[in-house]
Amino acid sequence: MIILGIETSCDETALALVENGTKVIKSLVASQIAMHAPFGGVIPEIAAREHLTQLPLLWEELRSSCPEEIKHIDAISVSQGPGLVGALLVGGSFAKGLALTLDKPLIPINHVHGHVYGALLGLNDFRNLVQLKTLFPALALVVSGGHTHLYLMQSLTDFRLKCFSRDDACGEAFDKVAKLMGLGYPGGPRIEQEALSGDASIFAMPKVAERKEDLFFSYSGLKTFTANIWKKVQGLDKASETKNRQDLCAAFQDAAFEQIIRKIDLVKDDPDCTEATNLIIAGGVAANKRLRALASEKLNLTCHFPGLAYCSDNAAMIASAGYFYYKFSGLATSYQKSTTGNWDVYAQYPYS
Ligand code: KG4
Ligand code: ZN
């Protein structure tokens, strides 16, 4: 079964063809990072307009590079939300138009859940459904620019939100800290790069939400703490400033990830999570090598990460999610025609 995935929730326009949920036939991503970088963050209106320009171009590229597979598309899936409303409307409208023209079912996908399926793409270990199903129950962390959501997944399509950030998302904190240090956008990769030359032990960072009953993530305090140290140590002579920035990036990064490890440890002891032996970590921040190393070392769980191409926003993960929802979820079958189902991007769809 071939699913066409469409992703336009933020600043990447993407189309992909995925076969049977795990085999990527083609994944096209047009990143808008260069357009938003001068503003230090994503400008929603620019993002929506750029999706409108890019989608027809990517569709033409897909048609010319995969002419045979295009003829055999079984269904179309699209990020329905959460995300930037204008950007989502462009992708949703394009998807509805294609579904009507090609007369194919349309499957709306929760973008945050979609990230998790990035970890199932192209993995040799999981070539068939029987192997895939053995992953569950599993814990799944989506750690991106907009979300820090930890789920218990009972099956390939059953998400139960166990823990989420009550303020900034982890990736958002990376972006904000990088911005105040003048490192540019997006901040995550720049902080990771700086941290490679830094010593995390130079600056003592606070342990956020330390109590056992604090079943949430929180990053705004860590961001402010880092900002306050930076105010004190910036503007010194060039060499000291560089050294301080590297050390502070390393300390901030480790504190951010220490919190993730601590919360996963807490949630995995929850009575309904004790059978989970696998952990999927997905989303843009999952590209971070330090996070990968810490999770694999410190947690008594088998960790699975998406390939680097499928950590940040892409349409292959949306196509993969579409396949599993189409195949297994009663919810998806009620959306079989693009003219039915609720397409209000503001409401109704369960975004937890
Ligand atoms: O998943 P994503 O592309 O978009 C959202 O759905 O939000 O995630 C983007 C986020 C940004 O905050 C970016 O700074 C962060 O992922 N990120 C990283 C790294 N690469 C991207 N954060 C830490 N380390 C990285 N290597
Ligand atoms: Zn995303």
Side-chain angles (χ1 to χ4, degrees):
M1 182 180 271
I2 295 179
I3 309 284
L4 167 68
I6 301 176
E7 160 59 36
T8 64
S9 68
C10 190
D11 59 344
E12 265 95 24
T13 319
L15 290 185
L17 292 176
V18 172
E19 192 174 353
N20 293 339
T22 57
K23 186 180 167 213
V24 182
I25 298 168
K26 190 84 183 173
S27 174
L28 300 173
V29 181
S31 171
Q32 302 177 6
I33 284 178
M35 303 186 97
H36 299 288
F39 303 97
V42 178
I43 307 295
E45 180 65 22
I46 294 177
R49 285 169 189 271
E50 189 59 12
H51 290 313
L52 203 54
T53 307
Q54 289 298 331
L55 275 173
L57 300 177
L58 292 186
W59 173 241
E60 278 313 310
E61 192 179 336
L62 198 64
R63 267 161 47 112
S64 57
S65 57
C66 308
E68 281 312 305
E69 291 89 343
I70 288 272
K71 286 185 207 150
H72 297 105
I73 289 173
D74 293 285
I76 297 169
S77 61
V78 59
S79 277
Q80 193 196 17
L84 304 172
V85 169
L88 289 164
L89 280 171
V90 174
S93 306
F94 188 81
K96 280 196 261 184
L98 266 187
L100 283 172
T101 312
L102 303 176
D103 193 24
K104 300 293 174 196
L106 183 57
I107 309 152
I109 295 298
N110 175 325
H111 174 83
V112 186
H113 294 185
H115 271 292
V116 173
Y117 297 86
L120 310 183
L121 294 169
L123 288 187
N124 291 336
D125 295 353
F126 301 115
R127 283 225 175 102
N128 62 51
L129 267 177
V130 179
Q131 285 170 320
L132 268 181
K133 282 180 174 171
T134 62
L135 270 176
F136 303 95
L139 291 175
L141 174 76
V142 178
V143 62
S144 69
H147 297 85
T148 314
H149 274 19
L150 179 59
Y151 299 97
L152 168 65
M153 287 179 75
Q154 295 282 16
S155 72
L156 271 159
T157 53
D158 180 76
F159 288 79
R160 302 194 185 169
L161 187 59
K162 302 297 289 183
C163 184
F164 58 94
S165 178
R166 65 175 185 184
D167 41 60
D168 287 355
C170 182
E172 181 183 358
F174 272 76
D175 292 335
K176 287 175 174 171
V177 166
K179 189 173 181 182
L180 66 93
M181 289 180 176
L183 292 173
Y185 175 84
R190 315 271 164 96
I191 290 194
E192 180 176 19
Q193 191 59 35
E194 289 288 301
L196 286 177
S197 319
D199 177 351
S201 68
I202 299 290
F203 296 105
M205 306 301 276
K207 227 177 179 180
V208 178
E210 229 181 331
R211 297 171 312 161
K212 270 202 160 215
E213 58 270 33
D214 291 340
L215 264 182
F216 55 80
F217 296 100
S218 170
Y219 282 102
S220 69
L222 189 62
K223 169 198 66 193
T224 307
F225 189 89
T226 309
N228 287 338
I229 298 183
W230 178 243
K231 269 188 216 146
K232 288 186 197 138
V233 299
Q234 73 173 94
L236 304 173
D237 64 277
K238 196 95 191 122
S240 316
E241 182 171 303
T242 301
K243 172 85 176 71
N244 283 327
R245 190 176 53 231
Q246 291 166 344
D247 291 341
L248 193 53
C249 282
F252 163 78
Q253 177 175 262
D254 273 14
F257 295 155
E258 180 274 335
Q259 187 185 147
I260 284 178
I261 304 297
R262 187 157 37 90
K263 298 296 169 183
I264 294 174
D265 237 346
L266 205 58
V267 167
K268 88 175 166 30
D269 290 336
D270 207 271
D272 46 327
C273 297
T274 47
E275 281 178 31
T277 56
N278 289 293
L279 168 68
I280 295 168
I281 301 188
V285 185
N288 189 293
K289 292 195 180 62
R290 179 77 176 148
L291 173 60
R292 288 177 179 230
L294 286 172
S296 305
E297 264 167 41
K298 304 222 168 210
L299 290 165
N300 191 19
L301 293 162
T302 307
C303 296
H304 307 271
F305 304 93
L308 287 186
Y310 306 119
C311 288
S312 34
D313 291 345
N314 64 88
M317 67 187 198
I318 301 302
S320 171
Y323 170 78
F324 293 111
Y325 274 92
Y326 190 55
K327 216 169 156 61
F328 298 122
S329 157
L331 174 82
T333 54
S334 67
Y335 287 89
Q336 280 213 1
K337 283 286 168 203
S338 55
T339 44
T340 64
N342 176 14
W343 282 94
D344 179 356
V345 294
Y346 290 102
Q348 301 282 335
Y349 197 66
Y351 288 134
S352 60

